[in-house]
């Protein structure tokens, strides 16, 4: 029979629109959250981070929102550009464990 | 600065063969990590080294061994490769929280 592979969640946006990528995390004891961008054939690249005592942090064209009540993290990218096309991962870490746990990722495609 | 470098970039092994993946960083970081990434999944931690001379198991250590040769270098060894170890392997290093990743080694075990 035909085998079925795993598929990443996907998000397609028009160039110039804003993108919102979501992530649900599992460990309520996590102290630190990071978003990574991974382009095809490359290693993950740090985008932005946020501590658990914050609910919002802004960078250049990116904003991370943290909702600890529902254990939800989001990455907002303003004015999405073709170079933003990549897989985006969220990761969490506790100060005691000092190990990152990664989510499964979202494939962002920017349409011309 | 080269950051984190990994060798080789690609490798094909037959089942039962052994090999060592090399990783080096020039950022004077204390902590180094080895991850594997399978299609449609995030990165899973194999082993890490919090400082020179120490190593600890991560989420998926079975079938692997590591050596923290010095502060710069952290190698990953497959003693007897299995098809289930076909994956892309990433090395990373960190001084605090932000991890810097190497370009990866794509390993296929036939």
């Amino acid at each position: 029979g035909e085998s079925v592979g795993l598929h990443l969640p996907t998000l397609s946006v028009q160039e110039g629109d804003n993108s919102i990528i979501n992530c649900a995390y599992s460990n309520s004891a996590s102290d630190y959250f990071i978003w990574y961008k991974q382009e095809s054939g490359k290693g993950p690249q740090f985008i932005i981070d946020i501590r658990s005592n914050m609910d919002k942090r802004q960078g250049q064209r990116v904003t991370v929102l943290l909702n600890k009540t529902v254990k939800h993290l989001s990455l907002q990218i303003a004015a999405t550009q073709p170079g933003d096309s990549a897989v985006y991962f969220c990761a969490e870490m506790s100060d005691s464990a000092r190990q990152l746990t990664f989510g499964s990722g979202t494939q962002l495609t920017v349409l011309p | 600065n080269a950051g984190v470098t990994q060798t080789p970039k690609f490798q094909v092994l037959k089942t039962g063969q052994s090999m060592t993946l090399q990783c080096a960083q020039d950022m004077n970081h204390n902590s180094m990590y080895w991850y594997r990434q399978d299609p449609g999944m995030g990165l899973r931690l194999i082993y890490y080294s919090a400082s020179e001379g120490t190593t600890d198991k991560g989420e998926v250590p079975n079938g692997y061994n590591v050596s923290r040769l010095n502060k710069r270098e952290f190698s990953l060894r497959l003693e007897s490769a299995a098809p289930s170890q076909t994956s892309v392997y990433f090395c990373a290093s960190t001084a605090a929280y932000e991890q810097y990743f190497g370009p990866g080694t794509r390993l296929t075990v036939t």
Side-chain angles (χ1 to χ4, degrees):
Chain A
E2 182 177 295
S3 63
V4 177
L6 293 172
H7 296 283
L8 290 173
T10 59
L11 174 66
S12 296
V13 299
Q14 292 294 139
E15 182 178 354
D17 286 352
N18 297 335
S19 303
I20 300 177
I21 301 170
N22 297 303
C23 176
Y25 65 92
S26 56
N27 185 357
S28 58
S30 292
D31 300 296
Y32 182 66
F33 303 88
I34 313 174
W35 280 100
Y36 283 91
K37 172 185 180 183
Q38 187 176 24
E39 296 174 282
S40 182
K42 297 184 179 180
Q45 178 183 10
F46 173 90
I47 303 173
I48 191 168
D49 58 0
I50 188 168
R51 294 284 302 178
S52 59
N53 60 355
M54 303 170 67
D55 53 21
K56 181 179 180 179
R57 189 161 188 226
Q58 288 185 288
Q60 187 176 11
R61 272 201 316 119
V62 294
T63 301
V64 56
L65 299 177
L66 176 63
N67 184 332
K68 293 184 288 294
T69 303
V70 295
K71 292 192 282 188
H72 183 268
L73 193 67
S74 69
L75 176 71
Q76 300 178 2
I77 304 174
T80 313
Q81 301 169 0
D84 295 327
S85 291
V87 177
Y88 290 81
F89 292 98
C90 65
E92 55 182 304
M93 177 192 283
S94 65
D95 285 336
S96 57
R98 299 305 295 262
Q99 297 177 35
L100 283 174
T101 300
F102 284 82
S104 58
T106 296
Q107 172 74 58
L108 174 67
T109 301
V110 181
L111 305 172
Chain B
N1 285 353
V4 180
T5 57
Q6 292 182 237
T7 56
K9 285 186 169 29
F10 301 94
Q11 183 71 51
V12 178
L13 292 177
K14 293 188 189 313
T15 297
Q17 287 185 317
S18 62
M19 79 160 295
T20 300
L21 281 64
Q22 307 287 354
C23 174
Q25 53 93 7
D26 60 3
M27 295 173 282
N28 203 36
H29 289 165
N30 286 321
S31 300
M32 297 185 73
Y33 304 80
W34 275 106
Y35 295 90
R36 61 177 287 173
Q37 185 175 34
D38 300 311
M41 297 182 71
L43 284 79
R44 292 186 291 169
L45 183 64
I46 305 171
Y47 270 94
Y48 68 102
S49 171
S51 62
E52 185 179 352
T54 68
T55 61
D56 286 286
K57 295 178 180 179
E59 180 186 353
V60 289
N62 291 344
Y64 305 95
N65 284 301
V66 291
S67 295
R68 184 73 183 268
L69 305 170
N70 48 55
K71 193 170 187 180
R72 288 188 64 249
E73 298 171 291
F74 188 38
S75 63
L76 178 72
R77 182 159 179 84
L78 287 71
E79 289 292 350
S80 179
S84 61
Q85 294 179 303
T86 293
S87 190
V88 181
Y89 291 85
F90 289 100
C91 177
S93 72
T94 183
Y97 291 102
E98 182 179 337
Q99 292 196 2
Y100 295 83
F101 286 83
T105 294
R106 186 173 295 274
L107 175 67
T108 301
V109 183
T110 61

